[in-house]
Amino acid sequence: MNKASPITLNGLNFHDMDGFYTAIYSMMHLYEDWKPAHSLDALNDMLYSGFGKEPVQLVWEHSEKSRTDLGLQATRDFYQHKINQGKPYNINWAAKQLEAVNSREGATLFDIIVEIFHSHPHIELVLL
Protein backbone atom coordinates (compact mmCIF):
# COMPACT_ATOMS: atom_id res chain seq x y z
CA MET A 1 0.00 0.00 0.00
CA ASN A 2 1.36 3.42 -0.90
CA LYS A 3 1.77 5.67 2.10
CA ALA A 4 -0.82 8.39 2.26
CA SER A 5 -1.17 11.23 4.68
CA PRO A 6 -2.99 9.97 7.73
CA ILE A 7 -6.51 11.06 8.50
CA THR A 8 -7.26 11.31 12.21
CA LEU A 9 -10.52 10.28 13.84
CA ASN A 10 -10.49 11.47 17.44
CA GLY A 11 -12.62 9.36 19.78
CA LEU A 12 -12.82 12.30 22.21
CA ASN A 13 -15.00 14.13 19.66
CA PHE A 14 -17.96 11.74 19.88
CA HIS A 15 -19.61 9.36 22.33
CA ASP A 16 -22.33 7.60 20.34
CA MET A 17 -23.10 6.31 16.86
CA ASP A 18 -24.61 9.56 15.60
CA GLY A 19 -21.49 11.41 16.71
CA PHE A 20 -19.29 8.77 15.08
CA TYR A 21 -21.14 9.08 11.75
CA THR A 22 -20.95 12.87 11.89
CA ALA A 23 -17.21 12.73 12.64
CA ILE A 24 -16.30 10.16 9.99
CA TYR A 25 -18.46 11.65 7.24
CA SER A 26 -17.01 15.11 7.90
CA MET A 27 -13.61 13.72 6.83
CA MET A 28 -14.87 12.32 3.55
CA HIS A 29 -15.07 13.98 0.17
CA LEU A 30 -18.82 14.39 -0.20
CA TYR A 31 -21.04 16.57 -2.30
CA GLU A 32 -21.68 19.77 -0.37
CA ASP A 33 -25.43 19.26 -0.01
CA TRP A 34 -25.36 15.48 0.44
CA LYS A 35 -25.69 13.81 3.82
CA PRO A 36 -25.19 10.02 3.93
CA ALA A 37 -27.45 7.97 6.15
CA HIS A 38 -26.36 7.20 9.68
CA SER A 39 -26.24 3.45 9.22
CA LEU A 40 -23.59 0.75 9.09
CA ASP A 41 -24.61 -0.13 5.52
CA ALA A 42 -24.19 3.49 4.41
CA LEU A 43 -20.82 3.67 6.17
CA ASN A 44 -19.66 0.58 4.32
CA ASP A 45 -20.84 2.02 1.00
CA MET A 46 -19.19 5.37 1.71
CA LEU A 47 -15.82 3.74 2.37
CA TYR A 48 -15.60 2.63 -1.27
CA SER A 49 -15.07 6.22 -2.37
CA GLY A 50 -15.57 8.66 0.51
CA PHE A 51 -11.84 8.98 1.18
CA GLY A 52 -11.11 8.62 -2.52
CA LYS A 53 -9.78 5.51 -4.21
CA GLU A 54 -6.15 5.99 -3.21
CA PRO A 55 -4.74 4.27 -0.12
CA VAL A 56 -5.48 6.07 3.11
CA GLN A 57 -4.34 5.59 6.68
CA LEU A 58 -7.10 6.24 9.20
CA VAL A 59 -5.70 6.84 12.67
CA TRP A 60 -8.40 6.38 15.32
CA GLU A 61 -7.12 8.21 18.38
CA HIS A 62 -8.65 7.38 21.76
CA SER A 63 -10.05 4.21 20.25
CA GLU A 64 -10.34 2.58 23.71
CA LYS A 65 -12.81 5.31 24.69
CA SER A 66 -14.72 4.57 21.49
CA ARG A 67 -14.56 0.83 22.24
CA THR A 68 -16.37 1.60 25.50
CA ASP A 69 -18.75 4.22 24.04
CA LEU A 70 -19.74 1.89 21.18
CA GLY A 71 -19.52 -1.24 23.31
CA LEU A 72 -21.99 -3.54 25.00
CA GLN A 73 -24.61 -1.05 26.18
CA ALA A 74 -24.64 0.93 22.94
CA THR A 75 -24.92 -2.30 20.98
CA ARG A 76 -27.76 -3.58 23.16
CA ASP A 77 -29.58 -0.26 22.67
CA PHE A 78 -28.93 -0.42 18.92
CA TYR A 79 -30.59 -3.84 18.51
CA GLN A 80 -33.35 -3.11 21.03
CA HIS A 81 -34.27 0.01 19.04
CA LYS A 82 -34.63 -2.11 15.89
CA ILE A 83 -36.84 -4.60 17.76
CA ASN A 84 -38.99 -1.82 19.23
CA GLN A 85 -39.25 -0.02 15.88
CA GLY A 86 -40.34 -3.09 13.96
CA LYS A 87 -40.67 -2.62 10.23
CA PRO A 88 -38.62 -1.95 8.19
CA TYR A 89 -36.16 -3.75 10.48
CA ASN A 90 -35.87 -7.53 10.64
CA ILE A 91 -37.00 -8.10 14.22
CA ASN A 92 -35.99 -11.77 14.32
CA TRP A 93 -32.47 -10.96 13.11
CA ALA A 94 -32.14 -8.10 15.62
CA ALA A 95 -33.37 -10.33 18.46
CA LYS A 96 -30.75 -12.97 17.57
CA GLN A 97 -28.03 -10.31 17.46
CA LEU A 98 -29.17 -8.94 20.82
CA GLU A 99 -29.14 -12.44 22.32
CA ALA A 100 -25.59 -12.99 21.02
CA VAL A 101 -24.42 -9.66 22.45
CA ASN A 102 -26.06 -10.37 25.81
CA SER A 103 -24.26 -13.72 25.97
CA ARG A 104 -21.00 -11.93 25.04
CA GLU A 105 -20.74 -13.93 21.81
CA GLY A 106 -21.80 -11.17 19.44
CA ALA A 107 -19.80 -8.26 18.10
CA THR A 108 -20.22 -4.80 19.55
CA LEU A 109 -20.80 -1.77 17.34
CA PHE A 110 -17.12 -0.89 17.74
CA ASP A 111 -16.12 -4.39 16.58
CA ILE A 112 -18.47 -4.16 13.59
CA ILE A 113 -17.08 -0.76 12.57
CA VAL A 114 -13.49 -2.04 12.81
CA GLU A 115 -14.46 -5.07 10.72
CA ILE A 116 -16.03 -2.79 8.10
CA PHE A 117 -12.85 -0.71 7.88
CA HIS A 118 -10.74 -3.87 7.58
CA SER A 119 -12.89 -5.08 4.68
CA HIS A 120 -11.66 -2.12 2.59
CA PRO A 121 -8.11 -2.89 1.43
CA HIS A 122 -7.32 0.74 0.54
CA ILE A 123 -7.90 1.79 4.17
CA GLU A 124 -5.25 1.07 6.79
CA LEU A 125 -6.86 1.42 10.21
CA VAL A 126 -4.57 2.30 13.11
CA LEU A 127 -6.12 2.14 16.57
CA LEU A 128 -4.45 4.36 19.16
Side-chain angles (χ1 to χ4, degrees), residues 68-82:
T68 300
D69 291 345
L70 307 177
L72 283 174
Q73 191 57 52
T75 307
R76 287 179 181 127
D77 294 345
F78 176 80
Y79 290 123
Q80 190 62 56
H81 171 76
K82 291 182 179 311

Side-chain angles (χ1 to χ4, degrees), residues 4 29 36 39 56 87 98-99 101 103 108 119 124:
H29 308 291
S39 75
V56 65
K87 290 184 179 185
L98 180 58
E99 183 179 319
V101 168
S103 66
T108 65
S119 72
E124 175 191 2

